[in-house]
């Protein structure tokens, strides 16, 4: 069983940057993929991107120019670097863990509680 805890969300001005973190605990050896999603109330969840155990990343086309996903396996931590933030980036951001294929939203079985980003 895996637990995920996100942090780093806050209010930031347009054009600013934030780095979100997600710490995994529990059965982290079972994690093959980690990903970031975001959701605005009343709208569908949006996939941001993913990273597999080899560090290979995938991104939503609309976000890949500004967002970067990385992971520190030694710290069991996933990161999301967000640059040039825009008001439309305002959302609750969630990390998730699962098994390949990492690019599919249905691959993720565990999700954190989320961290709010307001631009």
């Amino acid at each position: 069983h895996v637990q995920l805890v996100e942090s780093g969300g806050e209010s930031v001005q347009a054009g600013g940057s934030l780095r979100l973190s997600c710490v995994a605990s529990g059965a982290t050896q079972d994690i093959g993929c980690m990903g970031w999603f975001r959701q605005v109330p009343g709208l569908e969840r949006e996939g941001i991107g993913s990273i597999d155990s080899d560090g290979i990343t995938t991104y939503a086309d609309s976000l890949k120019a500004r967002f970067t996903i990385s992971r520190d396996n030694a710290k069991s931590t996933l990161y999301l670097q967000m640059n040039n933030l825009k008001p439309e980036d305002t959302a609750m951001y969630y990390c998730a863990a699962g098994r390949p294929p990492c690019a599919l939203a249905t691959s993720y079985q565990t999700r954190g509680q989320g961290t709010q980003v307001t631009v």
Side-chain angles (χ1 to χ4, degrees), residues 2-113:
V2 174
Q3 296 84 41
L4 302 172
V5 178
E6 303 94 336
S7 63
E10 61 181 71
S11 294
V12 62
Q13 290 188 345
S17 297
L18 278 178
R19 188 176 80 158
L20 306 183
S21 299
C22 170
V23 178
S25 60
T28 57
Q29 70 278 4
D30 294 337
I31 299 175
C33 308
M34 296 193 78
W36 286 99
F37 298 83
R38 66 185 185 182
Q39 189 162 23
V40 175
L43 300 181
E44 289 190 3
R45 182 183 66 176
E46 179 183 13
I48 296 170
S50 67
I51 186 166
D52 68 12
S53 57
D54 293 322
I56 297 172
T57 54
T58 65
Y59 295 96
D61 286 342
S62 62
L63 299 174
K64 62 184 178 181
R66 300 186 294 121
F67 289 13
T68 303
I69 295 172
S70 61
R71 66 192 288 180
D72 184 333
N73 290 331
K75 297 181 178 179
S76 298
T77 301
L78 176 73
Y79 301 101
L80 176 65
Q81 177 68 41
M82 304 185 292
N83 298 325
N84 189 22
L85 284 161
K86 304 176 180 181
E88 53 264 41
D89 294 319
T90 295
M92 185 71 77
Y93 284 71
Y94 301 92
C95 68
R99 302 185 67 81
C102 299
L104 297 181
T106 53
S107 296
Y108 297 88
Q109 297 82 39
T110 303
R111 192 187 79 172
Q113 293 299 307

